[in-house]
Amino acid sequence: MRRALPLCLLLVTGCYDLSELGTLYQPDAAFQGPDDAAIPDEALRDQAAEDRAVVDKATLGDLADDDLTTRPDLAASDGAPADLLTRDGPLQDLAIAPCAPGLADCDKNPATGCEVNLQSDPKSCGQCGAACAGIAHDTAGCSAGECVIAACTLPFADCDKSAQSGCESNTTTDGANCGGCGLSCGNGAVCSAGKCAMGCVAPQILCGAGCVDPRTDALHCNGCNLKCPNVQNGAPGCANAQCGIGGCNPGFGDCDKNPATGCEVNLQTAPGNCGMCGTFCAALPNSAPGCALGACGVGLCSVGYGDCNLKVLDGCEAKFATDPANCGKCGTACMGACTNGACGAWSPMQSNTQKALSAVWGTGQGEIYAVGGGGTIVYSANNGQTWSVKSITQQWLSGVWGSGPNDVYVVGNQVIYRSVNKGVNWNVLIAPPNVWFQKVWGSSAADVYVVGDGGSIAHTVNGGTAWTLQIANNFESLQGVWGSGKNDVYVVGSFGTILRSIDSGTTWIPRVGNTQIDLYGIWGSGPGDIYITGDQGLILHSDLNGGFSPLKSNTVQLLWTPWGSGKTDIYAVGWIGTIVHGDGLTMAPQPSGTANTLYGLWGSGPNNVFAVGSNGTILHHP
């Protein structure tokens, strides 16, 4: 294991005689190998072994010394990552204030508010959609949230005061309720036309104790005790001595005019007879015709669409496959893009190599470079649609950066290359020996920094013709470099090392990160907005006091590299396919679709991001 040494700075400035540099840093000779010579960092020795065996074992820092059985954060994933970052979305914006007691929002339309009185509405009595139905010769009503008889159809009356029997008494024929409830005919008299009499007047006939009209009486239709059959969703009736439908329950209709089917249509929900027979609801965008509570609205949404704003006129307006406010379902909002119904979806690309890829960089004009094991350079000229592979050395390549299409640097184990013709040829630059260079960054084609093991910082101001080597005297690995300009450059490394130069690399000043955790990557949108990633899911963000504060990453996995398209669109990638994304305040895991470790990250914008990793992995977002 490595030891933390007090941090001080030994500067070796100016151009130098390469023959004299061997004494600045000498790696352990035991580290030499037939394919990868002078590898001072134990984790990168493991990476070189992966290149030979095509096995992903790269673990920078002291991870190679750790027993994975004692590192649950590395031995196994921290569970299936949450693939969606959700919020209330448009539903929150359109929410209706709580309804007063007894009122309800039954149509779910914010424009109408709490439109239903559950205490008195017979279509929604006590609760939305609970319609009161008439029993016999009555019109149903609602009082105090309970179904009641609102009115009787003359000449019927509710003489037993029971809602369960409806208006059960025909006051024109009922001898016990002749002309009104409780008016009984005695001494053998009968009730005829609502009056007590000694006999029936034609066309009425005597049935029991009352006179009935067999032409209209459903209980004696065309003869005594010839009761008309029950009617579905309605009451039986008798007309011209023929049984039929006397009336339909509220919310139902006899739209086919067939007594055998009764009141067959639910006028509350039938889009072809909505509210009344013959009222047809038209289809709305991406939906079938719909009817609710007797009013036309949005019906069943087409597959892949949803009515998320609850507005009738635009139908099922949300396309779940691509809508970032309703990704996969209503209310599931993405911080970035929605692809195939998933937030931040990443698609694998055919890299045409099984070599581990350590870093990726592009011109922003469709040309992309990824570098890795065995001197591999994977190149695309068409934004990742196709990739070509070449090897320019046997050494591992760890970093890539360019100032433009015709100026690209690649660094690795004791090597620095530069191409000035879009990667057709790679020129070997004379570099400080015995250093595994990890990453490269520059403020221009001439002003370039390369960092690596042994606390090494190599700097050129003439495009690589000559280099100044500086040693941060902690003899630890420097893993990342980035700057906002020529006079504002940062490097990060093991044991929480953060150094900054504000004088073109002449001196390097320690910055406070308040951590001893190994740091591996750095990126910023500008001088006051910088992100650093490290082991154990660590993300540091520059604070207002000039230091760095931890940002919750919601992962415990090692994070190799950060990148963002701006202040509110930040990504980081790492161990076991880990990808986290956020707005600079909160971060959330995204599904990567791979268990391969992801080392490098770069993008030209929020919807064109590339991640690379072990086994030739290249992922593209979206």
Side-chain angles (χ1 to χ4, degrees):
M1 300 292 289
R2 297 165 298 183
R3 294 182 296 107
L5 301 179
L7 181 63
C8 59
L9 300 176
L10 172 63
L11 304 183
V12 183
T13 60
C15 298
Y16 50 83
D17 181 351
L18 293 176
S19 64
E20 298 176 354
L21 288 178
T23 59
L24 292 177
Y25 181 77
Q26 290 291 343
D28 189 340
F31 291 174
Q32 307 295 321
D35 298 320
D36 301 275
I39 306 177
D41 187 283
E42 59 266 37
L44 292 178
R45 293 200 300 276
D46 284 347
Q47 289 182 332
E50 174 199 5
D51 181 36
R52 292 187 291 272
V54 196
V55 177
D56 179 20
K57 297 172 59 179
T59 55
L60 283 181
D62 59 0
L63 301 180
D65 296 328
D66 287 325
D67 181 355
L68 292 183
T69 61
T70 65
R71 293 289 302 274
D73 58 317
L74 301 181
S77 172
D78 58 342
D83 60 348
L84 297 177
L85 181 63
T86 63
R87 64 174 177 85
D88 290 338
L91 301 182
Q92 184 182 48
D93 299 333
L94 296 172
I96 298 174
C99 293
L103 302 180
D105 171 31
C106 293
D107 63 2
K108 302 302 181 184
N109 184 353
T112 60
C114 302
E115 81 286 353
V116 173
N117 188 331
L118 300 178
Q119 300 297 298
S120 60
D121 191 334
K123 293 182 179 181
S124 295
C125 189
Q127 62 183 11
C128 291
C132 296
I135 303 300
H137 313 294
D138 65 301
T139 300
C142 180
S143 177
E146 299 288 339
C147 289
V148 297
I149 297 173
C152 290
T153 302
L154 295 177
F156 292 90
D158 176 24
C159 294
D160 64 3
K161 302 303 179 183
S162 172
Q164 302 301 317
S165 60
C167 298
E168 81 291 344
S169 179
N170 185 338
T171 60
T172 64
T173 62
D174 188 351
N177 300 284
C178 189
C181 292
L183 301 177
S184 176
C185 297
N187 300 322
V190 295
C191 186
S192 176
K195 295 181 179 180
C196 293
M198 296 309 296
C200 298
V201 178
Q204 292 184 332
I205 62 175
L206 180 62
C207 292
C211 297
V212 301
D213 187 342
R215 299 172 303 172
T216 60
D217 195 317
L219 297 177
H220 308 280
C221 192
N222 203 31
C224 289
N225 301 317
L226 296 179
K227 182 179 179 180
C228 290
N230 292 333
V231 172
Q232 178 184 5
N233 304 316
C238 180
N240 298 320
Q242 297 290 324
C243 286
I245 298 173
C248 292
N249 294 339
F252 290 88
D254 173 26
C255 297
D256 64 1
K257 302 305 178 182
N258 182 357
T261 59
C263 300
E264 80 286 353
V265 174
N266 187 334
L267 301 176
Q268 299 288 90
T269 60
N273 299 280
C274 190
M276 66 175 60
C277 290
T279 299
F280 180 79
C281 297
L284 295 168
N286 307 312
S287 73
C291 176
L293 298 176
C296 288
V298 180
L300 183 66
C301 290
S302 302
V303 175
Y305 290 85
D307 176 23
C308 299
N309 64 7
L310 302 179
K311 294 181 179 179
V312 173
L313 295 182
D314 59 4
C316 300
E317 84 291 346
K319 186 176 182 180
F320 293 147
T322 58
D323 188 346
N326 302 284
C327 191
K329 63 180 180 180
C330 288
T332 297
C334 303
M335 286 185 174
C338 173
T339 304
N340 296 324
C343 289
W346 293 75
S347 302
M349 290 187 157
Q350 183 64 46
S351 67
N352 299 313
T353 182
Q354 288 294 310
K355 300 292 186 181
L357 300 176
S358 319
V360 60
W361 175 85
T363 64
Q365 302 173 21
E367 297 158 308
I368 304 166
Y369 299 82
V371 300
T376 299
I377 298 179
V378 182
Y379 171 75
S380 176
N382 50 20
N383 202 54
Q385 296 182 41
T386 57
W387 298 85
S388 61
V389 182
K390 68 166 56 178
S391 178
I392 61 174
T393 178
Q394 291 299 310
Q395 303 296 341
W396 190 289
L397 300 178
S398 305
V400 56
W401 172 87
S403 65
N406 290 307
D407 180 52
V408 184
Y409 287 80
V410 169
V411 302
N413 180 20
Q414 305 184 74
V415 293
I416 303 177
Y417 292 86
R418 184 186 186 190
S419 175
V420 294
N421 56 3
K422 298 187 177 183
V424 176
N425 303 108
W426 294 89
N427 302 317
V428 180
L429 302 182
I430 299 176
N434 300 325
V435 177
W436 185 310
F437 295 110
Q438 300 289 355
K439 291 296 181 286
V440 55
W441 174 88
S443 67
S444 67
D447 183 46
V448 181
Y449 293 83
V450 179
V451 299
D453 292 341
S456 301
I457 304 173
H459 181 209
T460 181
V461 295
N462 51 24
T465 301
W467 297 84
T468 297
L469 180 66
Q470 299 168 294
I471 304 296
N473 196 24
N474 61 352
F475 291 98
E476 296 299 337
S477 178
L478 298 179
Q479 298 288 341
V481 56
W482 173 88
S484 66
K486 181 178 180 180
N487 291 313
D488 183 38
V489 184
Y490 288 80
V491 297
V492 299
S494 53
F495 290 115
T497 298
I498 305 174
L499 305 176
R500 183 189 185 193
S501 176
I502 57 174
D503 55 6
S504 298
T506 301
T507 56
W508 295 89
I509 304 170
R511 299 298 300 273
V512 177
N514 295 316
T515 183
Q516 289 294 308
I517 292 177
D518 292 342
L519 306 177
Y520 296 110
I522 181 171
W523 173 88
S525 67
D529 185 50
I530 304 169
Y531 294 84
I532 298 173
T533 55
D535 199 0
Q536 302 177 30
L538 179 66
I539 299 179
L540 297 178
H541 185 208
S542 55
D543 58 34
L544 297 178
N545 297 321
F548 288 85
S549 300
L551 178 67
K552 187 175 181 180
S553 67
N554 288 303
T555 182
V556 297
Q557 305 296 347
L558 182 154
L559 296 174
W560 291 102
T561 306
W563 178 86
S565 68
K567 290 185 176 181
T568 60
D569 183 39
I570 312 300
Y571 291 87
V573 298
W575 195 267
I576 319 178
T578 299
I579 300 177
V580 294
H581 175 242
D583 58 3
L585 298 176
T586 59
M587 306 291 287
Q590 287 188 343
S592 67
T594 182
N596 290 325
T597 292
L598 302 174
Y599 300 115
L601 183 65
W602 174 87
S604 64
N607 295 317
N608 189 44
V609 187
F610 295 83
V612 300
S614 59
N615 298 315
T617 299
I618 299 180
L619 303 180
H620 182 232
H621 167 76

